[in-house]
Each structure stands twice: as structure tokens, then as C-alpha cells.
Amino acid sequence: MRKFLHFLETIDLMRMVVGICILVDGYPLIFFFRETLKLAPGSTVFTAVAFAFGLVLMVPFTFLRRLYRPNMTMLWMGLGFIALCIMYMFTYLGDPGFKDYDKDMIYYAYALIFLFLLINIPNDIARVFIFVVVFFTFVSNLGLIYSLITNPSWAIGQRATITLGDNDDGGNPHVFSRNAFMGIVACAIWLIRSDTNIFLRLFALFAGMVNLAVLVLTQTRSSILALLIAIAFFLAFNVRPPQIRAVVRGIFKPVTLVIVAIGMVAISFFINKYYDVYAVLYGYVLSFMERNLDNIYALFGAKAQGAAYKATLDDSAANRSMSALFFTNVLTGHIHMLILGFGYKYLYLDVPILESLTNMGILGFILFGGVNALCLYHSLGIMRTNPNQLSVFLAYFYMLIMVAAFTGGRPNEISFWIPLALMTRFMGIEHLFPEHLQDRKHIVYAPAVPAASPVS
């Protein structure tokens, strides 16, 4: 009977995590059902209903009867920034043609309701969180792959995304790269846990490779940069000389040599049999490197491919270059405007942390930058101690949010505040997690420093 009740509790926790995934990473599946399966092409109502369904799934049976403590500093700073945005929207508009009051208020409402429901959700979701994320991201990737295969307007070389509406303008590859990044982090956590079942570990390895392939196909610089930063932090905090020596010694064990040989044969067979797939991925990597080198050449005014060709910035890099020029002009001639800012949505800079200052003033910069600074601080602490798998996932996932804060979007977008709400709920409170959720013993690579004992 006890095992059956534990099983029901696990299913209930998984239901809540699926709801969280829909809010944090629901766009890939929403676009698949909406556009690929033609259930509601171009419908924002369908998207709103899908998000509402995710919120319903998050409602626990202990709703309003048991609340859980979030990170209070991050909570008040996040609520303060959203309140400031709403106040500016109705009293200090920077965009004279702004009419999206209802749409923006709906976005803020979703973020606030999501945060409120998270405070009702128990910490025990930590034990099923990675399991759900691995499968959720994998299914989302399958939807994207199916869409690309069945889309006659998509050709090899284009960025992997789902076409929105009935035109060929394409969609948003960043939501698919976020899904792939989350999948890579979740699969990696599953792989390094010493108690992971061998079959689940093999599935995590396969799903991780699919995620990596999708990440390459989306050609998003921010996600790839975030992945490199996450890998660097993982190596810095978790890999020490004793582990390196142990790995080197383990490589020369007979079992390891056999596995490596089998892996090399399998990779060789795959490349020979599916050379086209290999060539496509290789071509994407090469073109991605060339395009970024072109941006570097352009910044220095260099010629990239001979005397007849002058390198130019792509649209995204050019927009950020103009944003830097605008900010420089403000500092030199209108610095007083940064006290209150230029107003709500005055100018789209494509650098959220900078836009929070220019549009929302010093207070907006302190609140938005403060939440991100606290997230980074807690992420580094979590990476050092590996307290539990949910916290570890959020710490490495934040690397993507951190890069995005400097490279794309607006500070008031739901794409920031839904993940930041999740981090506000679970980051910096690891000491409040019960003993059975502490996973330090399951990490293959030892923490850099001894972990503090949990406080109930």
C-alpha cells in the first residue's frame, strides 16, 4: 500500500512538473500543434489556452493550504520590477504609438500567476524534475524534426524552426534552441548520476545527442555560447586532478577499451551509412563559424574573403552595434535621462540589461540587474556543492538566461520572467530541502568543497 501511495504521489508531482515545462518551454510543442498539425494556425488564443492549461496542471492538491518559502530577496526585486513596468506602461510611455496594454498585462498576469503557483508547489518535485524535462524536451525535438521533414518550404542550410502562419517568413529558432539547451543540461545530469539505470542512461545519451544536433541546426549563437560557459563551469567546479587521474587510469582498463572500440565502430558505421546527415551537421557548424568570423572581421573593418569582399555585420549584430552607439550618445549628452529612463518600451536595444537602464531608469536597472546578479551568485554556489538535481539544473540553465540578458530580447518579456520566477522559487533555498532530496552522494564528480549539512 505504501508503494502504491508513493507511486500516486510521483505521478502527481510529474503532473505539476509538466505544467512548469509548458510555461517555461512550451512554445516548441505549441508551435507544433498549432502550425504543423494545423490545429489553429497563427492563433495567439491557442497559445494562451495552452499556457492556461499548464497553469492548471501546476495546481497542487494542497493549494493555499501549504505555502513554501521562495528566495525572498529575489521575490521582492522581481515583483518590484514588474510593478515598475506596469506603472511606467500607464504613466510614462516611451513609445507614443504603444497600444498593447492588454497583451502586456496578460503576459505579466501569466508570470505572476506562475510565480504564485510555484510557491504552492512542494520541493519534492526535485526528485522527478529531471525525468520530466528529459522526456518533455525529447518529444519537443521530435515535433520539430517532423515539422522540418514535412515542410516543403524548408531546405537544408536554413535555421531549424517551425514556420508560423501561412507564409514562408519562418518562425523563432530561439525557442527551439532553448528547448535543446534544457534537454542537454537535463540529460547530462542524468548521465552523471551514479544511480541512473543503464537503460535510462543510454536513453539520456541518445536524447542528449538529438538535443545537440537540434542546437546546431537552430544556429543560435546565444545558446551555443551558454553551453560553452556551462561546460567551462562544470569542469572548473567538479573536475579535479584526482578525477582526471582516475579517468586516465580507467581509459586503459580492458572494459573501457572494448567500449571505446565499439563506439568508434558504431560512429564509423553511422557516418558511412548516413553520410548525408553527417554532412548536413558539418555544413551547419562550418557556416556558423564563418558567419561569426564575418561579424568579428566587420567589427574591425577587415576584409574577410579577399580584397573584393568586405565583411558586414548581420542584422542582429548590427542592431546591437547601433544600440551601443545610442547608449554612448546618452552617456555623453543626455546622462540625466537615465535617472528615470526614457519611458516604457522607448527603444528596442536588443540588449535587455542595457534597455532596463535606458527605458526604466536606475531603479529598473537595479531591480532587473539585481535579480540576474543573485541568480548568477546562487548558480555558482550550486555548481560548487551540487545540492540536488533541480537546483543543479536551474544553475546551468541560468547560463542561457544570463547570456540572453546581454544578447537579445527585452527585460520585460515573459521569456525572461517565467524562468526567473522558477529560479526565484527554488534558488538559494537549498538548505530548506528535506534530507531525502539531497543528491550530493549521486554526483559522480566530487564537489570542489565539502557541502554544508542541510537544514530542515
Side-chain angles (χ1 to χ4, degrees):
M1 185 65 180
R2 182 177 298 176
K3 291 184 178 179
F4 179 69
L5 292 177
H6 181 75
F7 172 76
L8 291 180
E9 181 187 11
T10 300
I11 296 298
D12 186 50
L13 294 173
M14 292 172 66
R15 165 184 67 85
M16 288 182 272
V17 177
V18 169
I20 292 173
C21 287
I22 291 176
L23 270 295
V24 176
D25 185 42
Y27 278 114
L29 277 180
I30 290 172
F31 290 161
F32 171 74
F33 286 108
R34 202 183 77 182
E35 309 296 339
T36 303
L37 299 185
K38 303 297 183 182
L39 295 183
S43 173
T44 56
V45 175
F46 183 90
T47 303
V49 170
F51 280 145
F53 177 66
L55 293 175
V56 171
L57 287 178
M58 288 176 58
V59 179
F61 289 111
T62 57
F63 180 66
L64 294 181
R65 291 182 301 180
R66 181 177 299 175
L67 303 179
Y68 296 84
R69 183 181 180 86
N71 186 310
M72 297 305 297
T73 305
M74 291 173 60
L75 175 67
W76 290 120
M77 293 184 78
L79 292 178
F81 183 81
I82 293 177
L84 184 67
C85 287
I86 295 174
M87 184 182 73
Y88 267 48
M89 180 170 59
F90 287 102
T91 62
Y92 187 32
L93 267 178
D95 177 11
F98 181 81
K99 298 179 180 179
D100 294 331
Y101 295 94
D102 294 341
K103 185 177 74 172
D104 282 22
M105 284 301 298
I106 290 174
Y107 288 154
Y108 294 136
Y110 272 113
L112 293 173
I113 295 172
F114 178 70
L115 178 58
F116 177 70
L117 290 177
L118 285 174
I119 295 174
N120 286 267
I121 288 178
N123 297 325
D124 287 82
I125 66 167
R127 64 184 178 87
V128 300
F129 193 87
I130 299 300
F131 177 87
V132 175
V133 171
V134 168
F135 281 93
F136 190 91
T137 54
F138 180 71
V139 172
S140 298
N141 283 330
L142 293 182
L144 172 62
I145 294 171
Y146 175 82
S147 176
L148 297 179
I149 293 173
T150 57
N151 183 4
S153 64
W154 185 82
I156 294 175
Q158 292 179 328
R159 303 175 76 176
T161 185
I162 291 179
T163 301
L164 303 181
D166 297 326
N167 53 55
D168 296 330
D169 294 337
N172 184 359
H174 292 277
V175 299
F176 297 97
S177 65
R178 171 184 285 198
N179 177 78
F181 183 89
M182 291 175 60
I184 291 173
V185 172
C187 289
I189 293 174
W190 229 2
L191 284 170
I192 66 175
R193 284 171 56 90
S194 58
D195 63 341
T196 302
N197 181 283
I198 183 62
F199 296 105
L200 293 179
R201 186 168 291 180
L202 289 173
F203 176 76
L205 180 61
F206 172 72
M209 294 174 63
V210 172
N211 282 302
L212 185 59
V214 170
L215 190 64
V216 172
L217 292 174
T218 57
Q219 304 182 60
T220 50
R221 286 187 292 262
S222 58
S223 298
I224 294 175
L225 176 60
L227 181 61
L228 294 176
I229 294 174
I231 293 173
F233 276 130
F234 175 79
L235 295 177
F237 286 119
N238 295 282
V239 179
R240 290 292 179 266
Q243 282 89 38
I244 296 175
R245 288 193 293 269
V247 170
V248 172
R249 287 195 298 267
I251 289 175
F252 295 99
K253 291 182 178 180
V255 175
T256 305
L257 292 175
V258 171
I259 293 175
V260 170
I262 294 175
M264 292 178 65
V265 171
I267 292 173
S268 177
F269 173 79
F270 177 84
I271 292 176
N272 289 331
K273 187 173 179 61
Y274 302 101
Y275 182 79
D276 290 344
V277 177
Y278 165 77
V280 168
L281 292 176
Y282 178 78
Y284 270 97
V285 172
L286 194 63
S287 63
F288 177 82
M289 294 175 62
E290 290 177 348
R291 189 171 71 252
N292 285 281
L293 284 174
D294 222 30
N295 284 328
I296 295 174
Y297 292 145
L299 286 173
F300 292 98
K303 295 182 177 181
Q305 298 178 4
Y309 176 82
K310 184 174 177 61
T312 57
L313 294 170
D314 61 24
D315 292 340
S316 181
N319 187 47
R320 295 188 192 100
S321 179
M322 294 299 297
S323 299
L325 179 61
F326 168 79
F327 187 69
T328 301
N329 291 335
V330 171
L331 290 179
T332 55
H334 307 278
I335 193 171
H336 65 282
M337 290 297 297
L338 296 181
I339 298 175
L340 294 177
F342 285 84
Y344 186 73
K345 289 192 174 182
Y346 172 77
L347 185 65
Y348 176 57
L349 297 180
D350 211 16
V351 184
I353 195 72
L354 198 61
E355 186 175 323
S356 68
L357 176 61
T358 57
N359 290 3
M360 308 297 294
I362 295 175
L363 181 58
F365 175 75
I366 292 174
L367 294 175
F368 182 74
V371 171
N372 281 275
L374 286 173
C375 280
L376 178 60
Y377 171 78
H378 291 303
S379 294
L380 296 178
I382 290 168
M383 292 175 188
R384 291 172 59 247
T385 57
N386 299 309
N388 60 80
Q389 55 181 327
L390 171 56
S391 297
V392 172
F393 172 84
L394 293 178
Y396 287 101
F397 176 37
Y398 177 70
M399 297 302 102
L400 180 62
I401 306 302
M402 179 185 70
V403 171
F406 292 91
T407 60
R410 311 195 78 158
N412 56 302
E413 287 181 346
I414 196 172
S415 60
F416 276 106
W417 286 103
I418 290 295
L420 288 176
L422 184 61
M423 293 163 190
T424 296
R425 166 63 180 89
F426 291 106
M427 271 189 169
I429 60 159
E430 296 78 21
H431 59 285
L432 299 178
F433 280 32
E435 178 63 29
H436 68 275
L437 295 180
Q438 304 299 335
D439 276 356
R440 297 184 184 95
K441 61 182 180 298
H442 295 307
I443 302 297
V444 174
Y445 302 101
V449 295
S453 58
V455 178
S456 59

